[in-house]
């Protein structure tokens, strides 16, 4: 019983702060100037979403930001989930004992983060070199050692994975996996306030095929109250969704669209793991001189590749 009560409180906090209201939306994508929360109104220093300008991205050979090796995903396969149309998006939340929820760590993440919910934006909120995708999925994780209200006050309290989706009419078997996983659930969530529980989802099918190729920066929530507490991890390799599924999302009752306008670049610095880093054996990384030598070597290679392409 105790565990259940704690869980309900956590759900309420998530509902409050990520604006999943039981009573319908109190803010709208049509009028961002009326969004509640100081950061949304005045604008902070690290607001999201942004356009990622790839020639300003730092390949993190020196491990300034991406300090913790490769990303490690645990338990994304059989996730007990509930679905909800909260008036802004369709959202799947993790259910049941929190110890069973999927976790992520590594890459830019110093701590372990637990998945609370995922939701969809159509069109995408982030863009790469000015190009938006038809859809962006956000996997919202909370630092495991914090409760929600603490997490919403720490610069790295949340980790949000962003996966872009491309739309294609004809998908091969692998490309169809994501659509097949969620297609049956969407018709239950067409109107605001609709919900269901007890679905088992294989969320691995909604993750990018290349899990160690991403952009990362410190930013904010993209909905009220726009807290600057998010480690963003944005995969550059999109997944695919079917044209049918995308058309279905278009009919979901959430207003005209559900993406926040892009924010001015201020204190944002976007990093990317250098490909070399991912394949460099651990033993090399701990020996500093060897590591320096190896990074220099790969920097040289990168330079050569750049100058020949
Ligand atoms: C979160 O943790 C802080 C510090 O431990 C505590 O004061 C606060 O009451 C907690 N909040 C919730 C909602 O559990
Ligand atoms: C990298 O290139 C610099 C000069 O461009 C050279 O001095 C250095 O030895 C090279 N390092 C490696 C590891 O190849
Ligand atoms: Zn989002």
């Amino acid at each position: 019983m105790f565990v259940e009560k704690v869980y309900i409180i956590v759900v309420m906090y998530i509902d409050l702060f990520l604006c999943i209201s039981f009573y319908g939306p109190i803010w709208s994508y049509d009028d961002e100037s009326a969004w509640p929360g100081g950061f949304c109104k005045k604008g902070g220093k690290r607001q999201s979403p942004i356009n990622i300008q790839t020639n300003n991205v730092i390949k993190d050979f020196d491990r300034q930001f991406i300090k913790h090796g490769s990303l490690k995903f645990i338990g994304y396969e059989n996730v007990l989930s509930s679905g909800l149309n909260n008036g802004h998006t369709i959202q799947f939340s993790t259910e049941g004992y929190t110890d069973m929820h999927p976790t992520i760590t590594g890459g830019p993440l110093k701590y372990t983060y637990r998945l609370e919910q995922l939701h969809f934006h159509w069109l995408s909120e982030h863009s790469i070199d000015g190009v938006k995708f038809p859809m962006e999925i956000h996997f919202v994780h909370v630092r495991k050692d914090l409760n929600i209200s603490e997490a919403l006050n720490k610069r790295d309290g949340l980790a949000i994975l962003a996966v872009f989706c491309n739309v294609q009419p004809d998908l091969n078997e692998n490309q169809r996996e994501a659509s097949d996983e969620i297609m049956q659930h969407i018709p239950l969530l067409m109107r605001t306030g609709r919900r269901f529980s007890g679905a088992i989802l294989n969320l691995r099918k909604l993750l990018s095929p290349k899990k160690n190729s991403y952009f990362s920066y410190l930013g904010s929530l993209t909905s009220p109250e726009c807290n600057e507490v998010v480690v963003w991890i944005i995969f550059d390799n999109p997944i695919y969704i079917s044209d049918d599924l995308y058309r279905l999302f278009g009919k979901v009752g959430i207003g005209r669209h559900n993406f926040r306008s892009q924010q001015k670049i201020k204190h944002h610095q976007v990093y990317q793991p250098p490909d070399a880093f991912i394949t460099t054996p651990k033993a090399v990384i701990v020996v500093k001189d060897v590591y320096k030598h190896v990074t220099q070597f790969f920097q040289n290679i990168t330079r050569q590749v750049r100058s020949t392409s």
Side-chain angles (χ1 to χ4, degrees):
M1 278 316 281
F2 179 69
V3 170
E4 269 176 28
K5 270 184 196 150
V6 169
Y7 176 66
I8 287 165
I9 291 169
V10 167
V11 169
M12 284 170 63
Y13 265 81
I14 280 277
D15 282 357
L16 272 178
F17 287 101
L18 303 180
C19 280
I20 290 36
S21 165
F22 288 99
Y23 311 105
I26 53 162
W27 52 272
S28 147
Y29 281 102
D30 287 337
D31 187 6
E32 293 180 19
S33 66
W35 281 15
F39 283 128
C40 306
K41 280 212 183 72
K42 284 180 238 125
K45 296 197 159 59
R46 299 188 283 115
Q47 287 291 293
S48 299
I50 55 168
N51 173 44
I52 295 167
Q53 202 82 50
T54 53
N55 56 13
N56 290 335
V57 173
I58 293 181
K59 280 224 165 205
D60 202 2
F61 290 101
D62 297 331
R63 303 212 290 163
Q64 296 172 60
F65 188 73
I66 301 174
K67 300 178 179 175
H68 307 284
S70 56
L71 285 174
K72 292 163 204 73
F73 297 80
I74 297 171
Y76 284 74
E77 287 79 12
N78 297 302
V79 184
L80 183 61
S81 312
S82 57
L84 170 69
N85 176 330
N86 62 27
H88 302 297
T89 186
I90 281 180
Q91 173 176 314
F92 295 108
S93 301
T94 48
E95 281 193 316
Y97 292 112
T98 48
D99 283 349
M100 307 277 283
H101 296 179
T103 61
I104 186 169
T105 188
L109 306 175
K110 182 176 173 189
Y111 302 92
T112 298
Y113 292 73
R114 185 161 50 213
L115 180 67
E116 287 291 340
Q117 49 107 329
L118 63 111
H119 59 264
F120 304 82
H121 295 271
W122 57 99
L123 302 170
S124 71
E125 296 205 296
H126 289 90
S127 57
I128 300 178
D129 290 335
V131 177
K132 279 206 173 196
F133 291 80
M135 184 172 276
E136 181 173 335
I137 309 176
H138 287 162
F139 294 76
V140 181
H141 300 70
V142 179
R143 233 175 85 176
K144 219 177 145 185
D145 58 321
L146 303 178
N147 65 35
I148 305 285
S149 49
E150 290 171 312
L152 287 168
N153 287 297
K154 284 254 165 45
R155 69 202 292 263
D156 59 356
L158 303 182
I160 306 185
L161 308 185
V163 177
F164 294 122
C165 307
N166 266 332
V167 177
Q168 235 173 248
D170 299 310
L171 302 178
N172 68 34
E173 209 167 306
N174 283 340
Q175 292 166 339
R176 229 181 15 239
E177 278 192 333
S179 306
D180 288 350
E181 197 60 24
I182 56 171
M183 187 77 173
Q184 56 171 313
H185 301 297
I186 306 303
L188 304 172
L189 302 171
M190 297 306 281
R191 296 223 308 267
T192 299
R194 286 286 162 86
R195 56 173 71 226
F196 66 81
S197 63
I200 307 275
L201 295 176
N202 184 346
L203 298 182
R204 215 164 249 284
K205 294 183 176 173
L206 303 184
L207 293 173
S208 173
K210 290 192 180 156
K211 293 181 190 55
N212 273 296
S213 187
Y214 57 83
F215 304 104
S216 186
Y217 74 96
L218 294 176
S220 78
L221 294 175
T222 62
S223 58
E225 300 184 347
C226 308
N227 308 43
E228 299 191 328
V229 297
V230 180
V231 184
W232 280 98
I233 297 173
I234 298 161
F235 296 95
D236 52 344
N237 288 276
I239 61 169
Y240 289 88
I241 59 170
S242 67
D243 195 46
D244 287 350
L245 180 55
Y246 194 57
R247 290 173 69 97
L248 195 55
F249 268 100
K251 290 180 198 156
V252 171
I254 49 107
R256 282 187 302 154
H257 68 81
N258 64 1
F259 55 90
R260 185 188 190 192
S261 60
Q262 294 193 331
Q263 305 295 303
K264 283 204 185 74
I265 299 288
K266 291 181 182 169
H267 290 192
H268 308 74
Q269 177 58 59
V270 184
Y271 294 87
Q272 198 175 24
D275 302 346
F277 179 75
I278 297 155
T279 51
T280 309
K282 270 207 181 75
V284 176
I285 293 170
V286 294
V287 185
K288 218 167 176 209
D289 290 346
V290 178
Y291 176 67
K292 276 248 163 70
H293 184 80
V294 169
T295 47
Q296 204 187 33
F297 173 74
F298 280 109
Q299 270 166 344
N300 285 3
I301 294 227
T302 316
R303 253 180 240 127
Q304 280 163 22
V305 170
R306 282 222 190 93
S307 59
T308 55
S309 66

